[in-house]
């Protein structure tokens, strides 16, 4: 049995989902893969750090809102950087808040972990959209890996499909519905909810970013388009340089009128190769019901790759959510440790 020790940064929705998934899949990991995972440390900016070199009690953690009811012997007077350096761990799971302008503090966390010879897995879009090349180089120089499947379409393997399989078939264009919150809002508005009601519901369901303007104004989709451009086309674009329009000006009336003509409003992110480099955009688009993207409902996402050899490939799946993003972390974890 191979024992893998994990340190976590962030104990929010996705962190809980990850611990829950470790518990649910424990028997499968042991029996089928010969892998035993323990979480040795968790740091959260709100609650501090807990640490147990032989593993924290996962079942207790999954039902805990914070660290205050934990065994006092677990408490460590470490900040995040100290936890990364000092805790016994092979992998750091980085789940701090997303900042698409600077990528911090996640960039610093990822750098420290890689420099300490620890693999990094993150669903945080900031460091991947802004500093993927630098982090990938650091990982290579330190003999470790970085996993980021959860940054685009949560556990739906949009990045792995492109980078592991389709890349060799020549991808020229990528477009899709890449934000669960806005697709949920637009779907709910088709059912008669107001924009405000639908946004509130998306927040309750845990789809929205801590600051939901990141979703509704299209910044989140722009971050994902920047990641796709970088990982698939090898071209870095700053999310803030992407032409962008969100959905906050779309009214219930607009949505209902479109519906009568069999049309659906969707927030579409796109990036394509041109003679002058790559062109990227994020904007609401009216799609006829015959278009596969028009039928993606709720927090669902879809991505279309145009490939020289294969034509159009569409991948549909969940794009947000605690369990769905935790699935991406598990996918990366297994790929990296195997
Ligand atoms: N807020 C994001 C969304 C989370 O709604 O898609 C997943 O990146």
């Amino acid at each position: 049995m191979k024992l893998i020790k994990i340190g976590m940064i962030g104990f929010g929705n996705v962190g809980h989902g990850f611990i829950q998934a470790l518990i649910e899949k424990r028997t499968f990991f042991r029996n089928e893969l010969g892998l035993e995972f323990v979480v040795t440390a968790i740091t959260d900016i709100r609650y501090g750090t807990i640490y147990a070199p032989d593993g924290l009690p996962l079942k207790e953690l999954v039902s805990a809102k914070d660290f205050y009811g934990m065994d006092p012997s677990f408490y460590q007077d470490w900040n995040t950087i100290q936890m990364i350096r000092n805790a016994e761990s092979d992998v750091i799971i980085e789940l701090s808040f997303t900042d698409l302008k600077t990528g911090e503090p996640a960039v610093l966390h990822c750098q420290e972990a890689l420099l300490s010879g620890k693999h990094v897995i993150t669903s945080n879009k900031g460091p991947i959209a802004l500093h993927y090349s630098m982090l990938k180089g650091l990982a290579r120089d330190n003999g470790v890996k970085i996993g980021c499947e959860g940054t685009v379409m949560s556990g739906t393997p949009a990045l792995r499909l492109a980078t592991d399989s389709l890349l060799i078939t020549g991808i020229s264009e990528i477009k899709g519905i890449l934000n669960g919150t806005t697709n949920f809002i637009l779907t709910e508005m088709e059912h008669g909810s107001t924009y405000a009601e639908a946004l509130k519901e998306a927040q309750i369901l845990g789809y929205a970013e801590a600051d939901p303007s990141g979703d509704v104004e299209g910044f989140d989709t722009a971050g994902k388009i920047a990641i796709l451009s970088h990982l698939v086309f090898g071209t870095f674009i700053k999310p803030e340089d992407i032409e962008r329009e969100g959905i906050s000006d779309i009214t219930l009336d607009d949505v209902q009128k479109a519906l009568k003509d069999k049309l659906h409003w969707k927030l579409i992110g796109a990036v394509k190769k041109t003679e002058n480099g790559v062109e990227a955009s994020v904007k609401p688009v009216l799609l006829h019901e015959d278009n596969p993207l028009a039928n993606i409902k709720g927090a669902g996402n879809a991505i279309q790759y145009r490939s020289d050899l294969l034509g159009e490939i569409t991948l549909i799946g969940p794009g947000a959510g605690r369990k769905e993003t935790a699935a991406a972390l598990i996918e990366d974890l297994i790929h990296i440790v195997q």
Side-chain angles (χ1 to χ4, degrees):
M1 193 75 64
K2 190 169 167 186
L3 179 69
I4 311 292
K5 296 191 170 186
I6 299 169
M8 292 174 61
I9 302 166
F11 190 58
N13 255 324
V14 178
H16 277 85
F18 175 69
I19 293 169
Q20 178 76 47
L22 285 184
I23 296 170
E24 282 176 18
K25 298 284 171 204
R26 176 177 268 163
T27 310
F28 171 75
F29 294 150
R30 277 184 187 153
N31 297 350
E32 304 296 324
L33 306 178
L35 296 171
E36 177 80 35
F37 294 105
V38 290
V39 175
T40 55
I42 311 179
T43 297
D44 187 287
I45 194 165
R46 296 161 297 183
Y47 320 126
T49 297
I50 48 173
Y51 178 56
D54 293 326
L56 292 160
L58 297 187
K59 280 195 180 136
E60 211 175 302
L61 278 168
V62 87
S63 52
K65 284 200 171 62
D66 49 45
F67 300 158
Y68 304 125
M70 293 281 145
D71 184 330
S73 69
F74 295 154
Y75 282 90
Q76 281 288 345
D77 190 16
W78 289 340
N79 61 26
T80 311
I81 299 299
Q82 289 167 319
M83 184 282 272
I84 294 169
R85 288 181 186 160
N86 300 341
E88 279 185 35
S89 62
D90 307 292
V91 184
I92 296 291
I93 308 272
E94 211 294 335
L95 304 171
S96 65
F97 295 112
T98 292
D99 180 329
L100 277 170
K101 286 222 166 68
T102 67
E104 296 296 358
V107 179
L108 186 60
H109 299 160
C110 294
Q111 280 177 299
E112 276 301 325
L114 297 169
L115 284 167
S116 308
K118 299 178 181 190
H119 303 293
V120 168
I121 297 172
T122 186
S123 58
N124 189 325
K125 283 147 277 192
I128 305 303
L130 297 167
H131 294 291
Y132 183 70
S133 293
M134 180 272 286
L135 295 171
K136 183 99 177 146
L138 263 187
R140 195 180 42 238
D141 294 347
N142 289 280
V144 285
K145 296 211 154 53
I146 178 157
C148 58
E149 184 62 62
T151 57
V152 178
M153 285 179 73
S154 66
T156 308
L159 292 176
R160 199 158 273 123
L161 173 69
T163 56
D164 286 8
S165 300
L166 295 181
L167 209 54
I168 45 167
T169 69
I171 300 174
S172 53
E173 187 174 354
I174 309 168
K175 65 175 180 236
I177 296 170
L178 301 174
N179 180 267
T181 302
T182 45
N183 205 57
F184 178 85
I185 293 172
L186 292 170
T187 306
E188 289 300 299
M189 287 168 80
E190 290 186 347
H191 297 150
S193 299
T194 63
Y195 173 87
E197 285 164 351
L199 171 57
K200 197 166 174 204
E201 185 69 13
Q203 287 176 298
I204 292 168
L205 290 168
Y207 303 142
E209 299 295 303
D211 173 3
S213 66
D215 295 293
V216 297
E217 300 304 344
F219 293 108
D220 177 75
T221 303
K224 289 165 179 167
I225 286 294
I227 291 171
L228 285 160
S229 174
H230 205 159
L231 270 69
V232 182
F233 293 153
T235 304
F236 172 69
I237 329 172
K238 263 191 183 168
E240 64 191 34
D241 291 341
I242 294 175
E243 178 196 337
R244 176 189 50 78
E245 187 188 334
I247 65 155
S248 56
D249 289 337
I250 298 179
T251 63
L252 183 55
D253 200 37
D254 295 331
V255 172
Q256 294 289 331
K257 268 191 189 144
L259 210 50
K260 284 192 186 119
D261 295 326
K262 301 183 176 173
L263 296 170
H264 300 265
W265 280 105
K266 295 290 172 192
L267 184 67
I268 301 292
V271 59
K272 66 177 175 192
K273 280 184 185 167
T274 72
E275 284 175 1
N276 306 318
V278 299
E279 269 175 20
S281 64
V282 175
K283 58 186 175 206
V285 175
L286 267 178
L287 299 177
H288 190 265
E289 66 177 18
D290 293 342
N291 186 317
L293 296 185
N295 295 301
I296 308 302
K297 304 293 181 198
N301 278 193
I303 194 163
Q304 291 182 325
Y305 291 104
R306 175 153 292 284
S307 135
D308 299 341
L309 294 181
L310 289 168
E312 198 163 82
I313 295 116
T314 303
L315 176 70
I316 297 172
R322 147 193 176 132
K323 195 172 171 189
E324 294 80 356
T325 309
L329 305 175
I330 297 286
E331 289 164 32
D332 280 339
L333 190 57
I334 301 300
H335 273 263
I336 285 176
V337 302
Q338 282 196 323

